[in-house]
Amino acid sequence: MASAQVLAGFHAVVARLRHAPDSIKDIYVEASRRDKRMQTFIEQATHAGCRVHPVSMDRLDGLARGTRHQGVVALADERQLAVSVDEVLDVIEGPAFLLILDGVTDPHNLGACLRTADAAGVHAVIAPRDRAVGLNSTVQRVACGAADTVPYIMVTNLARTMRELKERDIWLVGTDDQASHDMHAVDARRAMAWVMGAEGEGMRRLTRETCDELVNIPMLGSVESLNVSVASAVCLYETVRQRRA
């Protein structure tokens, strides 16, 4: 079981039950909990053919490895929705819609980005393998199931991947506080990717230079920047707004 992926919390486990129940090895639930939500969950898991084990809270805490679990933990096979960007682009219909995250290492931020990406209809989220958090149990919990619906592709060389996207006519738009134009000037109806850096350091130099266009997010108050998950949501929904219009 050491190599199994840990899913903690109702949302993460229910999403996996919905999308890939066969990948779940075992489910552990708080033995003393008898409320309706837990009973409904146990019925759903049993109906899907999963083994459900009532255990103590201490056992759940150990299985969850520090992640908040709400009394539910599952051990499952890791599930990769796509192994490459090309695999995603070759099957989508309509203009591509991607999110590139450079330097996002906080699992709460990644989970929130994946959740918003799912809501906005993003085809894939791309990150560098050496400067990003993987799909750990915290990411799975915060994403509320989005980690099972939005491909999260970690690449060895982000700048090279970005150049390959440009060769496929995907416009790369990076966010930069010092950019002269704001995000509303972007033509988001074309095939495109929003490129976001982590707060603080922002994008790396090569990532910034590889973008086709740099824009700022209008900041009208006293704070200087937004959390990367919030900034991603603002930008992604500008694309949604334009494409729906």
Side-chain angles (χ1 to χ4, degrees), residues 23-81:
S23 71
I24 296 178
K25 298 175 179 293
D26 289 280
I27 296 175
Y28 299 85
V29 299
E30 183 182 348
S32 61
R33 187 164 170 176
R34 297 280 191 271
D35 58 274
K36 184 176 180 180
R37 186 181 191 186
M38 181 63 79
Q39 293 301 318
T40 300
F41 169 77
I42 291 173
E43 290 175 7
Q44 182 178 357
T46 303
H47 181 73
C50 297
R51 294 175 296 188
V52 180
H53 309 282
V55 297
S56 68
M57 184 63 82
D58 287 344
R59 179 77 189 283
L60 286 171
D61 290 342
L63 289 166
R65 304 169 190 171
T67 302
R68 290 173 51 198
H69 54 70
Q70 303 173 294
V72 175
V73 175
L75 299 183
D77 293 324
E78 290 194 13
R79 182 168 176 253
Q80 192 167 18
L81 299 179

Side-chain angles (χ1 to χ4, degrees), residues 61-104:
D61 290 342
L63 289 166
R65 304 169 190 171
T67 302
R68 290 173 51 198
H69 54 70
Q70 303 173 294
V72 175
V73 175
L75 299 183
D77 293 324
E78 290 194 13
R79 182 168 176 253
Q80 192 167 18
L81 299 179
V83 297
S84 70
V85 180
D86 284 335
E87 185 179 340
V88 173
L89 297 178
D90 288 344
V91 298
I92 64 175
E93 298 180 1
F97 185 16
L98 305 172
L99 174 63
I100 297 173
L101 301 174
D102 186 22
V104 176

Side-chain angles (χ1 to χ4, degrees), residues 117-178:
D118 173 85
V122 168
H123 295 119
V125 177
I126 302 167
R129 197 177 304 278
D130 63 337
R131 278 170 54 94
V133 62
L135 294 180
N136 62 30
S137 56
T138 300
V139 173
Q140 295 272 357
R141 179 182 62 79
V142 176
C144 291
D148 276 311
T149 58
V150 181
Y152 179 57
I153 302 169
M154 302 182 77
V155 298
T156 303
N157 188 315
L158 184 61
R160 182 173 63 205
T161 298
M162 291 172 67
R163 289 192 293 269
E164 291 170 352
L165 291 175
K166 293 168 79 162
E167 291 173 0
R168 296 193 63 154
D169 295 323
I170 295 175
W171 192 253
L172 306 181
V173 183
T175 54
D176 189 313
D177 294 342
Q178 306 304 314

Side-chain angles (χ1 to χ4, degrees), residues 183-184 186 189 236-245:
M183 52 175 286
H184 300 295
V186 172
R189 295 167 296 178
L236 294 179
Y237 270 88
E238 174 62 14
T239 298
V240 173
R241 183 191 69 81
Q242 290 192 28
R243 293 188 180 187
R244 292 188 71 180

